[in-house]
Amino acid sequence: MNRLRLTASLLALMTATPALAQTTPTVGVVGATVPTAQGGANGVALLRDPKDPARGVIAASAKLGGLELYGLDGQRIAAIPGGEVYAVDTRDDGPRALLAVLDRQAGRLRLFGRDHASGGTAAIDARPLLLGYSGEGICLHRSVRDGALYAFVMGREGQLDQWLLYPSADGKLDGRVVRTLRLSSEAKFCVADDASGALYVAQKAVGVWRYDADPEAEPVPVIVDINRLGHIAGEVGGLAVINGGKGADYLVAANADAGDYNVYDRSAGDRFVGAFRVQANGGAAIEGPSGLFGIRAPVGPSLPAGALLIADDRNAGASSKILSWRDIASALNLSLGQDAPTVEPSKTVLVQATMETEPVGHDGDAADDPAIWVHPTDPARSAIIATDKKGGLLVYDLSGKRLQYLADGKMNNVDLRGGFKLGGKTVTLVAASDRTRKAIGLYTIDPETRLLTSVADGVQASGLSDPYGLCLYRDRKGGIFAFISDPDGLVRQYSLTATAKGKVAAKAVRDLKFDTQTEGCVADDETGALYVAEEDAALWKLGADAKAGQARKAVARVADNPALKDDLEGVGLYAQPNGKGYLVISSQGNNSYAVFRREGDNAYVGSFAVTANGDNGVDGISETDGLDVTSASLGAGLEAGAFVAQDGRNISPPEHQNFKLVPWSAIAAKLKLE
């Protein structure tokens, strides 16, 4: 937990002043379902027919009675067996509504589809989606960024698993866990807002937290309200979002022990704006709120501004109640906003990885930077050389299998160049920034074994306080140089030369100074350009020649390009003939990669992100440090080259960090590149 964020949130809660008078207004129930057939009502959702909202259907979990469906008049129209059903949520899916429920009896996530036109409901889970525990609550989220559908499932021991639900070959839905979060105690209720990507979780006897629903986002919770110190009297009995757009976007929490319902303004940082009570038919209050569902769009003539549904899990006569959102907004003097607020689509295109390497051996922030080595005669036998900055260098084949691990020290960045003359042979030289010895690690790779061998002529001291970023450059005369950065903004250039003993030595030939820390860099051997990423500031272009001086030009500044969010980290070059191609840089702050033209003024052409691949189980990439890209063929499926990046959060399954590969053809197709 971020202590500063928690402290600030608590202070805001303790000093917040409700926007309303002390008297809590009362809102009447406008409809209710008949009681469930076998008792229990602990989850409710409204399936809105977009073509005819008045034909909407209420779905409620009825424990051993399965899933029950009701018309808006409250009459039961169907019951669907599903084991011991707890909790329900829904999302539109074109001509049908998707339903997700928990079967606690089987410890299983069940999926159903209800056709709006025919009213038919059928199971659509491709196989049993087993949780490993009984389950307590569920909510769905559809990502605006990529349209992916997720289910968040909660358990009694504080489990909070995020499932990716994806189409199977037979048209049903399969699923796999892509992120596992842990709470300190049980949670039963959650709700996700598709438009903003916010996930709200009610933790038992603690309070309400907000997370980012993106599985690749940093899993840092922000407190919304807290038991005893805030506006919650005890346990929360359900959560709902009513999104009418900016200025009319609200979170509702059932403050069960106090007998009222709290409302928070999501447009103002989830600020508490007031509470209301519910007056049920015949004067009786709702006895046991156990799940809420909110919808802002019209649901027939009696609900022109949407509705709030409450599952009333009372001891006798458990049912679901319907409230008009217009009535609630009027009672609290809230803006109604829009029926269907527009959501600005993301301009970042999405691709999926086809391969991931075995994890590095060390925990925490360990994997850092990859380099792609292309086999001289058999592209399919190419390899990925990568760093474990807590221990050494690794070599992987193109299936992700580890071929070698050299425990040579804290190697941070790595790069390579072919055509180096050493001991009478032409070899590929591999260099790495060695933070253990504050030196330059130097190696060659054997084309037959694909293994690295050290060729450094002793310890090649860098003279830097902490050798950090690294990239290589070969000039037109065949000379090979290394650029290594120091965290204080210094970038030092070294000439790498063969010695009479068949080893390699480094000699400093130029210093470049930047205002702040740099790491990622790449040199263009053909044009003589050097690109350096100053992490919080810009991507710079300089001359790579040792006599080029300090002159530089900003290719892109973080402050000027909305697609960039610091830190700027790894940089790679996709080189094509005649000086064409693309620069790729990792924008770590928003888990994306910006692409610029190689030629001319390096114009920005677009950004891409790497998301989870349900078919092969490879999760997305986030918080990338280092990357590499090649235009050379790497064999079948990779004829146009590949992009490889470090994954800062290897979440599915939760393992040590690793590296993931995307065919360049997929990136080029999405960004419409040449």
Side-chain angles (χ1 to χ4, degrees):
M1 173 65 62
N2 185 308
R3 184 175 297 174
L4 290 177
R5 189 177 298 183
L6 176 59
T7 302
S9 300
L10 286 173
L11 287 173
L13 284 171
M14 296 172 70
T15 58
T17 302
L20 308 175
Q22 294 297 316
T23 302
T24 303
T26 300
V27 178
V29 170
V30 299
T33 66
V34 298
T36 57
Q38 295 190 37
N42 61 344
V44 63
L46 195 150
L47 285 56
R48 182 179 182 270
D49 185 341
K51 292 185 177 180
D52 187 359
R55 295 183 69 244
V57 171
I58 297 171
S61 56
K63 298 184 180 177
L64 291 174
L67 183 67
E68 296 194 355
L69 302 179
Y70 308 85
L72 293 180
D73 60 0
Q75 298 303 304
R76 186 181 298 105
I77 58 177
I80 304 167
E84 186 183 10
V85 172
Y86 269 64
V88 58
D89 202 1
T90 183
R91 283 298 183 276
D92 288 332
D93 188 38
R96 68 180 181 181
L98 299 176
L99 283 156
V101 302
L102 288 182
D103 176 359
R104 291 188 62 190
Q105 196 172 50
R108 176 179 171 184
L109 169 62
R110 291 183 180 268
L111 304 171
F112 299 92
R114 185 179 192 277
D115 185 80
H116 288 302
S118 68
T121 305
I124 58 171
D125 32 7
R127 61 184 176 89
L129 302 178
L130 302 178
L131 306 177
Y133 49 91
S134 61
E136 291 291 327
I138 188 174
C139 59
L140 294 176
H141 168 60
R142 190 180 294 281
S143 170
V144 170
R145 188 176 72 164
D146 61 359
L149 181 67
Y150 299 98
F152 292 91
V153 181
M154 297 166 291
R156 186 179 296 273
E157 302 301 323
Q159 299 96 333
L160 178 54
D161 292 333
Q162 183 171 1
W163 287 70
L164 171 65
L165 305 178
Y166 57 94
S168 57
D170 57 3
K172 295 186 177 182
L173 285 181
D174 205 338
R176 52 174 88 237
V177 176
V178 294
R179 180 168 63 158
T180 298
L181 304 171
R182 291 291 300 185
L183 303 173
S184 58
S185 60
E186 177 186 349
K188 285 187 177 181
F189 303 105
C190 65
V191 65
D193 177 50
D194 295 349
S196 65
L199 169 70
Y200 295 91
V201 178
Q203 186 179 356
K204 187 174 182 179
V206 176
V208 178
W209 303 95
R210 185 182 74 242
Y211 290 85
D212 191 325
D214 185 339
E216 296 296 337
E218 187 177 3
V220 176
V222 177
I223 192 70
V224 173
D225 206 344
I226 198 164
N227 184 27
R228 193 172 63 82
L229 296 177
H231 302 281
I232 297 175
E235 289 191 35
V236 172
L239 297 171
V241 166
I242 304 281
N243 190 346
K246 188 174 182 180
D249 191 2
Y250 304 102
L251 172 72
V252 183
N255 192 9
D257 289 1
D260 53 24
Y261 297 80
N262 293 348
V263 180
Y264 306 85
D265 186 350
R266 299 184 61 242
S267 299
D270 300 316
R271 179 174 60 89
F272 175 77
V273 294
F276 65 92
R277 292 179 178 260
V278 176
Q279 186 72 32
N281 294 333
I286 290 176
E287 200 172 279
S290 189
L292 306 180
F293 185 86
I295 184 168
R296 173 59 188 82
V299 190
S302 63
L303 299 168
L308 179 71
L309 278 63
I310 305 173
D312 186 3
D313 195 21
R314 59 177 63 220
N315 292 328
S319 64
S320 297
K321 308 297 193 294
I322 307 172
L323 282 71
S324 164
W325 180 249
R326 173 170 285 182
D327 292 349
I328 298 170
S330 176
L332 294 177
N333 195 28
L334 304 177
S335 171
L336 284 175
Q338 308 169 56
D339 292 346
T342 57
V343 178
E344 185 70 25
S346 172
K347 295 180 181 179
T348 301
V349 304
L350 305 166
V351 295
Q352 295 178 328
T354 58
M355 182 277 283
E356 63 179 333
T357 67
E358 295 177 11
V360 300
H362 290 90
D363 195 9
D365 186 20
D368 197 279
D369 188 43
I372 302 171
W373 172 74
V374 181
H375 194 281
T377 59
D378 186 355
R381 297 192 72 241
S382 299
I384 298 166
I385 303 170
T387 62
D388 177 342
K389 61 188 176 188
K390 292 187 177 182
L393 285 172
L394 305 111
V395 181
Y396 300 96
D397 67 17
L398 293 183
S399 72
K401 179 183 177 182
R402 188 172 70 186
L403 302 176
Q404 183 184 26
Y405 173 62
L406 286 174
D408 281 4
K410 298 177 180 179
M411 302 295 181
N412 201 69
N413 279 30
V414 63
D415 201 3
L416 54 83
R417 282 296 186 277
F420 188 78
K421 304 292 185 181
L422 183 66
K425 297 180 179 179
T426 300
V427 300
T428 294
L429 185 64
V430 178
S433 47
D434 181 352
R435 300 174 72 178
T436 298
R437 300 169 185 82
K438 298 182 180 181
I440 307 171
L442 296 164
Y443 304 83
T444 58
I445 184 167
D446 185 329
E448 293 300 319
T449 63
R450 296 178 287 181
L451 302 181
L452 298 173
T453 300
S454 175
V455 292
D457 189 15
V459 175
Q460 296 300 299
S462 66
L464 302 176
S465 66
D466 184 8
Y468 206 60
L470 176 144
C471 59
L472 296 184
Y473 166 61
R474 184 177 59 230
D475 67 15
R476 293 182 180 180
K477 296 180 180 180
I480 293 184
F481 300 82
F483 294 91
I484 304 182
S485 65
D486 199 294
D488 65 2
L490 173 65
V491 176
R492 180 163 289 166
Q493 183 174 0
Y494 306 81
S495 173
L496 305 179
T497 57
T499 69
K501 297 183 293 183
K503 300 292 184 178
V504 181
K507 178 183 178 182
V509 294
R510 179 171 62 148
D511 281 355
L512 299 167
K513 192 69 176 72
F514 293 83
D515 292 337
T516 58
Q517 180 169 316
T518 68
E519 181 176 5
C521 65
V522 68
D524 188 334
D525 299 346
E526 183 179 346
T527 66
L530 170 68
Y531 298 90
V532 177
E534 188 176 2
E535 294 187 353
D536 298 335
L539 174 64
W540 298 98
K541 182 178 182 179
L542 307 88
D545 190 86
K547 298 179 181 179
Q550 300 284 329
R552 68 198 67 177
K553 176 184 177 181
V555 173
R557 297 180 186 271
V558 173
D560 298 336
N561 189 331
L564 300 178
K565 186 173 178 57
D566 51 339
D567 292 347
L568 303 183
E569 292 277 351
V571 189
L573 175 66
Y574 185 86
Q576 294 175 304
N578 303 316
K580 293 189 176 182
Y582 303 96
L583 289 163
V584 183
I585 184 168
S586 62
S587 175
Q588 195 178 68
N590 56 12
N591 297 328
S592 68
Y593 308 89
V595 181
F596 300 85
R597 292 197 181 278
R598 179 190 185 197
E599 65 271 19
D601 292 330
N602 304 117
Y604 171 71
V605 297
S607 295
F608 68 93
V610 183
T611 61
N613 189 331
D615 290 334
N616 62 16
V618 179
D619 57 300
I621 310 179
S622 55
E623 286 198 351
T624 290
D625 286 327
L627 61 84
D628 197 15
V629 62
T630 182
S631 59
S633 172
L634 300 181
L638 301 172
E639 292 86 353
F643 165 86
V644 177
Q646 178 255 10
D647 184 10
R649 279 193 291 271
N650 188 23
I651 58 176
S652 181
E655 294 180 317
H656 294 173
Q657 295 175 342
N658 69 351
F659 303 87
K660 294 179 167 69
L661 179 148
V662 179
W664 181 261
S665 58
I667 298 167
K670 288 294 185 73
L671 286 175
K672 297 180 173 57
L673 305 179
E674 297 172 3

